[in-house]
Amino acid sequence: KVRLYVDIITPIAFIIFAVAVLLAMPKQIALLSSGSINERSFPTLLMFLIIICGVVLLGKEIFNIISKKKANIVETTALVEVKALIILGILVLYWLLMGLIGFIISSILLGLAMLMFFRVKKVSYYIIVSVVAVLIGVFFRYVLNVRLP
């Protein structure tokens, strides 16, 4: 079993995420306007808001630890975490495949992989997932005129 201090881990994770987004933003969002409010203003505001909230939550939890208040501890098994990492791996593979084989085929493969991972036995679910992936791809391409990868 693994004991996780959720109220400490979560704010730290969000602070790291927000800082990473702020560092990546200049390369990802080009500036097209020169005004004080531009393409990066809203994402930057959101990231600073996430950092501020994370620091406040982290400070509150550190204060609770110092004052010996009960901490929010979650116990989990390594198997649960391994399953979560497998699902993350499937999603990363989906992202990689989308650029190579396109949205529809990779979405069908994602749906089928998830159903197999969760050991779904009903064949109709596999058919439904495949048909829905095709319908979404066709809807975006021909109705909304949006080209998906």
Side-chain angles (χ1 to χ4, degrees):
K1 291 198 177 232
V2 179
R3 293 169 49 110
L4 301 172
Y5 291 85
V6 178
D7 292 337
I8 290 179
I9 293 171
T10 306
I12 291 172
F14 275 99
I15 290 168
I16 291 170
F17 167 76
V19 169
V21 169
L22 285 172
L23 292 174
M25 198 178 311
K27 293 179 184 170
Q28 299 297 318
I29 302 176
L31 286 178
L32 301 175
S33 60
S34 60
S36 61
I37 296 186
N38 55 41
E39 295 82 3
R40 294 182 194 162
S41 299
F42 187 67
T44 302
L45 176 69
L46 286 179
M47 292 308 108
F48 277 111
L49 187 61
I50 289 172
I51 291 170
I52 291 168
C53 289
V55 168
V56 168
L57 287 173
L58 194 57
K60 176 183 157 253
E61 197 55 33
I62 290 170
F63 176 77
N64 285 344
I65 289 172
I66 291 170
S67 61
K68 308 268 189 213
K69 290 187 181 175
K70 186 178 177 189
N72 185 10
I73 300 171
V74 174
E75 286 191 10
T76 184
T77 62
L79 181 62
V80 171
E81 301 307 317
V82 168
K83 286 182 179 180
L85 288 175
I86 291 171
I87 291 172
L88 179 64
I90 291 171
L91 291 172
V92 168
L93 184 62
Y94 169 66
W95 174 69
L96 292 171
L97 285 175
M98 193 180 303
L100 297 173
I101 61 176
F103 173 80
I104 293 176
I105 302 296
S106 59
S107 295
I108 290 170
L109 292 175
L110 170 70
L112 297 179
M114 287 296 186
L115 290 172
M116 285 188 274
F117 180 76
F118 289 108
R119 298 185 179 121
V120 174
K121 292 185 169 69
K122 285 188 125 183
V123 176
S124 61
Y125 290 177
Y126 290 84
I127 295 168
I128 290 168
V129 163
S130 300
V131 169
V132 167
V134 171
L135 289 176
I136 290 171
V138 168
F139 180 76
F140 270 86
R141 175 69 181 108
Y142 297 106
V143 177
L144 298 177
N145 291 321
V146 174
R147 291 199 71 130
L148 296 172

